[in-house]
Amino acid sequence: YDLSVSNAIASVVKEREITDLVVGLHKEKDIPAAFLGHIVESVLAESSVSTFIYKPAQPISTVRRHLIIIPELAEKEIGFNQIIFRLRNTGAATVFYGSEATLNALKKLLAKKSGEASYIEFNDWDDFLIVFRDIKPDDTMWIILSRKEGLSYAPAMARIPKYLNKYFQANSFVLAYPVQAGMNEGTRYLT
């Protein structure tokens, strides 16, 4: 389809009007040192669709809880509601970590939704490892991230793959990048 894998993926996303892109990471491999690797980084730069980078450690049907870490101001991102509703449709209990304002917005959003949810105030992405104390063997961690030009982007997000490789190999995790507003989808190509 294209000589560049990332261009091919971005082109198909645009051509087929895909809304969600799921990229799997092999359960035996680490996240590449160059954050997510050249191809995934390029796809994130070239496409504004919701992108989920998933690393399984167990079958998804055996997950009992989802721990969802949300950056400050994520509730103001255009794709926030879409990501949250996708997470809530899994049937497992959810634990949301975020700033007070983000958690308040989340509580309003989920007020009429059923399912077990709890909320823990978390503001400091520089102290991200504090979340790991709550992890149990049958949990999946969801980390909502932002592309670099996004409203909720924090420089500390660049350290997340290192933490996951070092401390979180026994559990499943998903890095979720919501739809981003203002991106020129499909108009930037690598050579």
Side-chain angles (χ1 to χ4, degrees):
Y1 192 87
D2 198 312
L3 294 177
S4 165
V5 175
S6 58
N7 280 350
I9 293 169
S11 295
V12 170
V13 164
K14 184 175 181 180
E15 177 182 300
R16 305 281 180 170
E17 298 178 358
I18 293 170
T19 59
D20 292 44
L21 177 64
V22 178
V23 177
L25 295 175
H26 193 281
K27 71 178 187 173
E28 303 298 326
K29 301 286 184 187
D30 289 343
I31 298 175
F35 196 39
L36 298 171
H38 176 69
I39 293 173
V40 175
E41 288 283 348
S42 295
V43 169
L44 286 171
E46 295 174 25
S47 173
S48 68
V49 299
S50 291
T51 303
F52 301 89
I53 300 164
Y54 176 54
K55 184 172 182 182
Q58 67 186 63
I60 200 156
S61 61
T62 65
V63 172
R64 297 216 185 258
R65 278 190 328 165
H66 295 290
L67 280 65
I68 304 159
I69 298 96
I70 306 169
E72 191 170 14
L73 300 176
E75 73 277 11
K76 298 186 184 304
E77 299 272 9
I78 192 169
F80 178 74
N81 292 4
Q82 177 188 10
I83 292 271
I84 296 302
F85 289 138
R86 295 233 192 305
L87 294 172
R88 291 292 293 165
N89 287 332
T90 63
T94 51
V95 180
F96 294 101
Y97 294 81
S99 69
E100 183 180 3
T102 299
L103 294 178
N104 286 338
L106 193 57
K107 288 174 187 176
K108 287 179 188 172
L109 180 66
L110 298 175
K112 296 180 182 174
K113 300 288 181 190
S114 63
E116 184 182 335
S118 57
Y119 304 88
I120 298 173
E121 195 168 329
F122 172 75
N123 291 318
D124 190 1
W125 281 69
D126 288 320
D127 194 18
F128 183 81
L129 292 177
I130 199 163
V131 176
F132 289 100
R133 69 174 184 221
D134 297 335
I135 300 297
K136 295 179 182 172
D138 52 4
D139 289 342
T140 294
M141 181 181 289
W142 293 72
I143 305 167
I144 298 180
L145 298 168
S146 178
R147 290 162 174 92
K148 287 183 182 176
E149 53 281 326
L151 184 62
S152 61
Y153 179 76
M157 290 177 179
R159 292 192 295 273
I160 300 299
K162 176 182 159 192
Y163 296 150
L164 293 173
N165 286 334
K166 189 169 183 178
Y167 303 107
F168 202 68
Q169 289 295 316
N171 293 79
S172 300
F173 64 81
V174 179
L175 304 177
Y177 292 84
V179 168
Q180 295 283 176
M183 291 187 64
N184 297 326
E185 186 173 312
T187 59
R188 230 179 80 182
Y189 295 95
L190 299 178
T191 56

